[in-house]
Amino acid sequence: SSATLGNPALSFLEEFAGVYLESHSHIDGFGTIFRSFPSEALDANNCLVPAFALFSRDIQSPDDPLLLMQLIREFHLSLEAFLQDFVAGLINGYVALVTRGGLLPECNAQNVLYRIDSAGHVTGIYIRDMEDLWKDLTLREHLSLDTACVEYHTIRATSDHDYFQRRSFLYDFKLGEYLITPLLRVAAAAFDVPEVDLRDQARLIG
């Protein structure tokens, strides 16, 4: 379901069904989640790329440049276009989810997918695995939003001693160190600029 948050827009992959099978040989059994893909993500002019694929080595061709570097070079992306497409949309969408909905998604490199068009530009960003979405009940109360949430992955300032640490873990580590930092590292090499300069520019977003 689309949430027009940030530019490019940040959306979720809708989870419409799940299956769980008990197992006599495994304590927890087995389960799977089924997700739908929006039609605009499957047309001929766009492809979906998991975030980790942008800065991971291709095991079939380990000597090839990283995918993000190939995109920057092949489509002559500017530094400004990179920051807007791959960084700003994600950060602004995350901040909007937190400040408007009291929701903290786990934007790690596996859960985020970029929709990239035939010109190398990001036309959408998707989050999958809604089981890892945290609900900040303190913030939802402040926003006058419903707090009748499943207890799993909820936090409240008055009852959770690690309230601020949990928020920092999701933003500073999962989104920052686990996803944005590797993107900036590749971009710094592609544009031949100090990585610290890109970090400073990223900190101004949001």
Side-chain angles (χ1 to χ4, degrees):
S1 56
S2 180
T4 55
L5 306 170
N7 181 28
L10 181 67
S11 307
F12 293 96
L13 295 185
E14 181 182 359
E15 299 180 350
F16 62 88
V19 175
Y20 175 78
L21 299 175
E22 293 187 354
S23 171
H24 296 296
S25 58
H26 292 80
I27 296 175
D28 295 328
F30 301 91
T32 189
I33 296 291
F34 295 91
R35 303 183 179 96
S36 60
F37 285 88
S39 58
E40 69 271 14
L42 300 175
D43 63 40
N45 295 317
N46 292 276
C47 64
L48 284 179
V49 179
F52 68 84
L54 294 168
F55 48 78
S56 299
R57 289 289 174 191
D58 185 342
I59 60 173
Q60 300 297 327
S61 303
D63 295 329
D64 284 356
L66 300 176
L67 181 57
L68 177 58
M69 185 168 289
Q70 293 184 51
L71 288 170
I72 291 171
R73 292 173 174 174
E74 177 69 22
F75 296 104
H76 306 289
L77 298 181
S78 67
L79 178 56
E80 293 73 19
F82 159 75
L83 288 171
Q84 178 62 47
D85 282 7
F86 291 92
V87 181
L90 187 56
I91 292 178
N92 289 332
Y94 185 100
V95 170
L97 280 172
V98 174
T99 57
R100 298 182 198 174
L103 302 174
L104 293 84
E106 186 170 313
C107 292
N108 62 46
Q110 284 77 28
N111 287 353
V112 172
L113 302 97
Y114 288 94
R115 186 176 82 225
I116 301 176
D117 66 15
S118 56
H121 291 289
V122 176
T123 55
I125 303 173
Y126 298 91
I127 299 175
R128 59 183 174 185
D129 197 356
M130 296 300 292
E131 289 71 34
D132 285 334
L133 180 74
W134 285 76
K135 289 82 67 181
D136 186 331
L137 301 186
T138 299
L139 187 51
R140 288 183 67 82
E141 287 177 349
H142 176 75
L143 295 168
S144 299
L145 298 174
D146 189 1
T147 58
C149 303
V150 175
E151 184 178 353
Y152 180 69
H153 275 13
T154 60
I155 54 174
R156 189 188 295 272
T158 55
S159 57
D160 293 299
H161 70 278
D162 62 346
Y163 175 78
F164 292 105
Q165 292 94 324
R166 176 58 59 183
R167 289 165 58 96
S168 174
F169 178 73
L170 291 168
Y171 183 77
D172 295 316
F173 177 71
K174 288 290 188 175
L175 175 61
E177 294 301 320
Y178 191 17
L179 176 49
I180 292 178
T181 293
L183 291 175
L184 296 180
R185 185 172 297 124
V186 177
F191 293 109
D192 193 25
V193 297
E195 183 182 337
V196 65
D197 290 353
L198 293 189
R199 283 177 172 263
D200 289 342
Q201 293 187 56
R203 290 190 180 99
L204 298 176
I205 300 170

